[in-house]
Amino acid sequence: MTTLRVAIVDDEMPARQVLREYLDLEPGVEIVAECANGFEAVKAVAEKTPDLLLLDVQMPKLDGFEVLELVGRDTAVIFTTAYDEYALRAFDVHAIDYLLKPFSRERLQEALGRARTRLSRGLAAKATPTAVAVTARPPGAWLSRIVIRDGAEVHVVPIDKVDYVEAQDDYIAVRVAERALLKEQTLSDLERQLDPRRFVRIHRSFLLNLDRLVRLEPTGKDGRMAVLRGGQRLPVSRTGYARLQELL
């Protein structure tokens, strides 16, 4: 039997202890990491490369879906949570199983069996980081923060801090004051997650936080520039101008 390398991620010590006790009884299972929050989980995936995450959903700092967004598609996941309302979202991001606390050892065994089957078929987690970001949020629940991985560092950027977002090929540059944080995601994907009353696509390459807009200036024939509080000047397309007129 191939050893299944597992990382436990839960902010509650009793929950981690139960999982550890159950897993210690399972043949062919090795616990390679035990994490108390999402940041530790992202680090553990990078350093330990587990086959499987046993991942809680509601955690401080980073929740389970944000962890998945950051670690990407190479790690299979079984969600372990006390909340049943996340089940559909979990399977949208190709989770192997969803264990509702408190669960029995037998229920965990069943989930581990599914994990082994899927891993043996090479079908671990199909969702890309972008797909996770799009599908993990129910309609109307607008994004309140953006998580961005920069090497070993993870940035959690509140939406209120974002000045604008710029498309850069397969990446976006999230502009916060004088910083530009790169994330592998399309501008359209991010636009769908943001409140359209606050963030407006003013150009095919720019998504603007309306709170940062100071004025619009004409440039040439029918051209316009958006002037921001920090003095930045962004081009506004005809379509973008029409969207702005609806909101201003």
Side-chain angles (χ1 to χ4, degrees):
M1 178 186 296
T2 303
T3 299
L4 187 63
R5 304 174 70 256
V6 177
I8 298 171
V9 186
D10 200 302
D11 63 308
E12 296 182 354
M13 184 179 294
R16 297 198 304 273
Q17 184 175 354
V18 168
L19 281 171
R20 194 186 324 116
E21 291 174 357
Y22 284 170
L23 293 174
D24 284 343
L25 298 172
E26 293 300 317
V29 172
E30 177 187 1
I31 301 173
V32 298
E34 188 174 317
C35 310
N37 58 60
F39 287 108
E40 291 181 9
V42 173
K43 183 179 179 182
V45 170
E47 295 178 353
K48 304 292 186 180
T49 60
D51 302 312
L52 176 67
L53 285 180
L54 295 179
L55 181 62
D56 191 12
V57 175
Q58 285 201 349
M59 297 182 293
K61 300 181 180 179
L62 294 177
D63 65 33
F65 291 103
E66 289 171 329
V67 169
L68 256 192
E69 182 180 348
L70 291 169
V71 302
R73 61 184 177 182
D74 295 329
T75 305
V77 61
I78 294 171
F79 281 107
T80 61
T81 178
Y83 303 92
D84 59 4
E85 62 263 35
Y86 301 107
L88 290 178
R89 294 169 63 188
F91 291 110
D92 278 345
V93 297
H94 303 279
I96 289 173
D97 211 332
Y98 190 91
L99 304 185
L100 194 60
K101 300 174 184 175
F103 50 84
S104 65
R105 181 191 168 196
E106 291 72 24
R107 183 67 181 89
L108 178 61
Q109 286 177 319
E110 178 185 340
L112 292 174
R114 290 180 179 175
R116 287 188 182 280
T117 298
R118 183 173 302 184
L119 288 166
S120 68
R121 293 175 180 172
L123 299 176
K126 294 180 180 178
T128 64
T130 296
V132 170
V134 172
T135 60
R137 195 162 303 278
W142 307 116
L143 205 63
S144 63
R145 60 190 188 180
I146 302 174
V147 291
I148 302 170
R149 184 173 179 177
D150 182 11
E153 190 174 2
V154 174
H155 302 276
V156 180
V157 182
I159 287 301
D160 291 340
K161 300 291 185 182
V162 176
D163 296 327
Y164 64 95
V165 186
E166 180 180 359
Q168 294 189 0
D169 298 324
D170 294 330
Y171 290 80
I172 53 174
V174 180
R175 303 282 178 167
V176 182
E178 299 300 319
R179 299 190 66 183
L181 302 171
L182 287 179
K183 178 172 182 168
E184 189 177 3
Q185 188 175 3
T186 67
L187 198 61
S188 295
D189 288 332
L190 180 62
E191 182 184 7
R192 283 192 288 268
Q193 298 176 77
L194 296 174
D195 185 346
R197 296 166 298 181
R198 299 183 61 194
F199 282 82
V200 181
R201 187 78 170 264
I202 62 170
H203 184 274
R204 60 187 174 87
S205 297
F206 293 97
L207 189 60
L208 174 65
N209 183 348
L210 273 181
D211 290 340
R212 300 301 192 271
L213 180 63
V214 175
R215 64 182 181 274
L216 293 172
E217 291 185 351
T219 58
K221 185 179 179 181
D222 297 328
R224 292 174 181 85
M225 298 290 292
V227 181
L228 279 56
R229 290 182 189 175
Q232 305 97 325
R233 297 168 62 85
L234 306 180
V236 179
S237 67
R238 289 183 180 180
T239 303
Y241 181 63
R243 291 172 182 153
L244 285 171
Q245 284 185 310
E246 292 176 3
L247 294 169
L248 297 178

